[in-house]
Amino acid sequence: MQIQDLPYPDPGVPDARSGPRFLWWLGRNQLRGQLKSLAWGLLHFLSVSSLPFCVGVAVQAVVDRSGERLALAGGLLALACAGNAIGDTFLHRAAITNWITAAARVQQLLARKTAYLGSALTRRVAAGEVVAVSTGDVEKIGWFVEAISRFTAAAVTIVVVCAALLVYQPALGVVVAVGLPVLALAVLPLLPRATRRADFQREKAGRATELASDTVAGLRVLRGIGGEELFLDRYRRASQDVRHAAVRSARMWSLISAIQVLLPGLLLVAVVWYGVHLAREGRITVGELVTVYSSVMIMTYPLRHFEEIAMAYSFSRPSAKRAARVLSLERATDAGGSRDAELPAGDLYDPATGLLAPSGLLTAVVCGDPDAAGRLAERLGGHPSEPGPSVLLDGTPLDELPLDSARTAVLVQDKDPVLLSGTLRELLDVPASGAVGAEEALAAAQCGDVLAALVEGSLGAEDPLDARITERGRSLSGGQRQRLALARSLITDPEVLVLDEPTSAVDSHTEARIAEGVRELRTGRTTVVFTSSPLLLDRADRVVLVHEGTVAAVGPHRELVHTDPRYRAVVTRETDEETALGDLRERAVDSGADTRRELDELGLDELEEIEETA
């Protein structure tokens, strides 16, 4: 895989059982790139390692006054330099390719998992963690995958050099063959502590990222309540924790680097001392001493890759662990899609709650618990957060439809929709049936003032559709964002549209017009609206009250207000005392002597107390 061939047609199925397994899976899936990098790495490192031999031959040729051997040494030196240059160039090219393609594979896997899980992802993993995995973590994972081949080439080179020195000069070769492995393994006892400190730093950095993400997302609310300084202080403390953890981690790596400098220096001292002793005795020549000394000095370069691979693994392991955690998440229900039939069109029914949304009607659902309403809305869309029986569309379980087909048939707009940055035209350019145009959807969602505000705030945008929207629509009010999101949902024109509190941030006059517009535009289509707004409820074809996870009442809004105290308590925000007082009064008027006797038993003073409390 080359960079120009990205993205992958299929990134594959990752082994997400653990971080190390995920790293191993990535390495195996880039075997061709790893072998290419290994080959160029061997050419580079072996060419560098052969330079001392060439220099030693040249020095000995000068001592012996041999012009032929000096010319031979010059030719070998030129060949080694050419191999060094070519190997280094293509090693760098192959390494960067492996780095980028590994990171791109992880990003594709994360994007696919995000699309697969939908809104359930942010309920199971913090948004800040998802951001950290998809940005900084993918680079660290790519670094380790790329560094494996260079480390392998360096390790093979050290083995080859030790073997060559044993053959070339056994007396000094033994010293080098024993000393180099000791240098390579000397820092192993420090690696567990360095890894723990690196993990702790990543943990602190992840918490700081989550806090920053939450603060930015709620900045408008924080300014409204004057809480900016409070959250700013929290972020300062989190940032300082990250700094302290990074300093402690850097100290350990500095110690490892110091050892990597100190021990090779000691080995060089030992080689020079012992070599000079052998040279005095006439057991080795000057050229051989120069060759062995230069070889040891050159070996500090490939030895650095032992430190790098240790650092890359310690930094990438927690990143891979976080990525594996996200990639191991599964939907609460299987969405394999055993049916390939055409999209069903009919009633939408939830067996778990008994909620029925008849085909072609506007059904309003009242639920006293907003969180329960959100979970039920997601169930109706085919992405439940908890296992349970599948929602049926025209008798067909959504779980048995391919995920793309289920999402085409049922569209869910949650209570906090996201507007992506770009022009309004790009925002409204979504998969759609083509039956609803942008102008119709914007009119139904009452976006006239929103369009005017966008044109006014965008330079050179005469057409409202060319006006730019900032990231997440932060330049717009909550009500304006809601209306644009509603227009986007209306344009898709799905068979079933589920709206969760679509007008919670809109004033009552606009809300009434939106209710009429949605009702008219969705004529003949199934629409489910989760709301407690009387304006929307009054314009629904049927209203369903869901209480404690089951359907408790069904009927028109005005009828339920008078007949069901639980419904009235949710819609009119009545207190328990007001509800009790209203029930007693109604029973006193509509019933006989038994109820009047209950009022007498209650007592006038207690009744007045209830009235005053209400």
Side-chain angles (χ1 to χ4, degrees):
M1 172 64 68
Q2 298 298 318
I3 296 176
Q4 62 266 24
D5 299 327
L6 294 174
Y8 288 95
D10 180 13
V13 180
D15 185 350
R17 288 176 290 178
S18 66
R21 287 179 180 271
F22 180 58
L23 291 173
W24 173 248
W25 178 85
L26 282 175
R28 286 191 294 107
N29 276 269
Q30 292 191 211
L31 187 60
R32 183 176 179 182
Q34 296 284 3
L35 292 176
K36 185 183 296 186
S37 179
L38 175 61
W40 291 118
L42 286 174
L43 175 61
H44 170 57
F45 288 123
L46 290 175
S47 297
V48 171
S49 301
S50 66
L51 292 175
F53 174 76
C54 299
V55 172
V57 172
V59 170
Q60 192 60 40
V62 172
V63 171
D64 297 340
R65 299 181 180 275
S66 173
E68 293 182 359
R69 280 188 292 162
L70 184 61
L72 175 63
L76 293 176
L77 190 62
L79 186 63
C81 290
N84 178 22
I86 295 173
D88 190 23
T89 300
F90 285 94
L91 170 62
H92 181 74
R93 181 186 179 92
I96 294 299
T97 299
N98 288 339
W99 190 336
I100 294 177
T101 51
R105 186 188 295 272
V106 178
Q107 286 179 325
Q108 279 188 251
L109 291 170
L110 291 170
R112 186 174 66 179
K113 180 63 68 172
T114 301
Y116 178 71
L117 293 175
S119 60
L121 175 63
T122 52
R123 289 200 311 272
R124 302 168 68 179
V125 180
E129 184 171 353
V130 177
V131 172
V133 171
S134 59
T135 53
D137 284 341
V138 295
E139 294 186 5
K140 297 179 180 65
I141 293 172
W143 176 27
F144 175 75
V145 173
E146 171 271 323
I148 292 176
S149 55
R150 288 190 293 113
F151 163 72
T152 305
V156 171
T157 300
I158 290 176
V159 173
V160 171
V161 169
C162 289
L165 289 178
L166 284 172
V167 174
Y168 179 73
Q169 178 43 252
L172 284 178
V174 171
V175 177
V176 177
V178 173
L180 284 179
V182 171
L183 295 182
L185 303 177
V187 297
L188 283 182
L190 298 177
L191 289 181
R193 181 177 297 181
T195 301
R196 286 195 299 270
R197 292 189 179 185
D199 290 350
F200 184 72
Q201 178 192 351
R202 293 295 172 275
E203 180 183 351
K204 292 294 184 181
R207 291 179 182 176
T209 303
E210 293 176 17
L211 181 59
S213 177
D214 293 342
T215 303
V216 172
L219 189 58
R220 186 184 297 271
V221 177
L222 290 176
R223 286 175 175 170
I225 63 176
E228 303 103 313
E229 287 300 324
L230 174 62
F231 275 81
L232 186 58
D233 288 340
R234 291 182 182 178
Y235 183 74
R236 285 197 187 102
R237 290 194 296 270
S239 179
Q240 290 301 312
D241 290 342
V242 175
R243 184 178 69 84
H244 292 313
V247 169
R248 293 185 72 248
S249 179
R251 286 174 180 169
M252 184 56 64
W253 288 111
S254 298
L255 177 60
I256 292 175
S257 298
I259 293 175
Q260 290 287 325
V261 173
L262 175 63
L263 294 184
L266 295 177
L267 180 60
L268 279 174
V269 171
V271 168
V272 170
W273 178 82
Y274 187 52
V276 170
H277 176 70
L278 294 177
R280 285 180 176 177
E281 295 180 353
R283 297 170 57 184
I284 63 172
T285 63
V286 175
E288 290 173 338
L289 176 59
V290 171
T291 298
V292 176
Y293 168 80
S294 301
S295 296
V296 174
M297 187 171 61
I298 289 292
M299 281 300 98
T300 58
Y301 172 51
L303 277 173
R304 284 286 179 180
H305 289 75
F306 284 75
E307 177 189 351
E308 182 188 4
I309 195 66
M311 183 181 293
Y313 179 72
S314 66
F315 277 74
S316 66
R317 190 174 64 87
S319 297
K321 182 180 179 181
R322 282 198 293 264
R325 181 189 172 205
V326 175
L327 294 175
S328 64
L329 297 176
E330 295 294 338
R331 290 168 56 90
T333 57
D334 181 22
S338 58
R339 298 193 182 191
D340 296 326
E342 295 182 359
L343 292 180
D347 297 345
L348 185 70
Y349 177 69
D350 178 26
T353 60
L355 174 62
L356 173 66
S359 176
L361 298 183
L362 174 59
T363 302
V365 180
V366 176
C367 188
D369 183 0
D371 293 333
R375 291 192 295 269
L376 178 54
E378 290 168 354
R379 275 187 54 78
L380 296 180
H383 5 268
S385 57
E386 301 174 354
S390 174
V391 171
L392 307 178
L393 179 59
D394 194 25
T396 302
L398 290 181
D399 289 352
E400 296 184 7
L401 295 175
L403 187 58
D404 293 342
S405 299
R407 288 178 172 174
T408 301
V410 184
L411 174 66
V412 179
Q413 176 183 306
D414 61 23
K415 65 183 65 178
D416 188 22
V418 176
L419 302 182
L420 301 179
S421 59
T423 64
L424 181 58
R425 192 185 305 277
E426 293 170 341
L427 175 70
L428 301 180
D429 185 17
V430 293
S433 66
V436 179
E439 293 184 0
E440 297 174 275
L442 291 169
Q446 300 299 310
C447 293
D449 63 316
V450 184
L451 299 180
L454 286 174
V455 171
E456 184 178 351
S458 300
L459 296 176
E462 298 180 0
D463 188 344
L465 293 179
D466 294 329
R468 294 199 64 81
I469 299 174
T470 58
E471 181 186 3
R472 299 178 67 92
R474 298 192 190 282
S475 60
L476 303 173
S477 67
Q480 290 173 330
R481 289 197 299 270
Q482 274 191 338
R483 283 178 281 167
L484 285 179
L486 176 59
R488 180 179 58 186
S489 299
L490 293 174
I491 286 177
T492 60
D493 190 37
E495 184 61 35
V496 179
L497 177 60
V498 180
L499 304 172
D500 188 5
E501 295 289 353
T503 59
S504 59
V506 177
D507 62 83
S508 58
H509 298 290
T510 306
E511 188 176 33
R513 293 194 295 270
I514 290 176
E516 291 293 344
V518 171
R519 180 185 176 90
E520 180 179 349
L521 194 62
R522 293 287 299 172
T523 300
R525 294 287 200 179
T526 306
T527 307
V528 181
V529 181
F530 285 81
T531 183
S532 59
S533 168
L535 292 171
L536 288 176
L537 295 170
D538 193 40
R539 287 161 177 79
D541 295 314
R542 66 199 305 267
V543 179
V544 179
L545 172 65
V546 177
H547 181 68
E548 295 183 354
T550 58
V551 173
V554 179
H557 164 64
R558 300 190 181 189
E559 177 183 327
L560 292 177
V561 167
H562 291 92
T563 60
D564 196 302
R566 293 168 300 184
Y567 179 84
R568 184 168 59 249
V570 175
V571 174
T572 64
R573 307 295 196 272
E574 279 187 349
T575 63
D576 294 339
E577 290 81 1
E578 290 174 324
T579 302
L581 181 59
D583 290 343
L584 286 173
R585 282 176 171 168
E586 289 181 5
R587 292 168 63 189
V589 173
D590 300 333
S591 303
D594 290 340
T595 302
R596 295 184 181 278
R597 188 178 305 111
E598 291 177 7
L599 285 173
D600 293 337
E601 293 174 355
L602 183 64
L604 181 59
D605 293 338
E606 193 168 345
L607 183 58
E608 290 177 351
E609 182 180 348
I610 293 178
E611 289 178 338
E612 291 175 358
T613 304

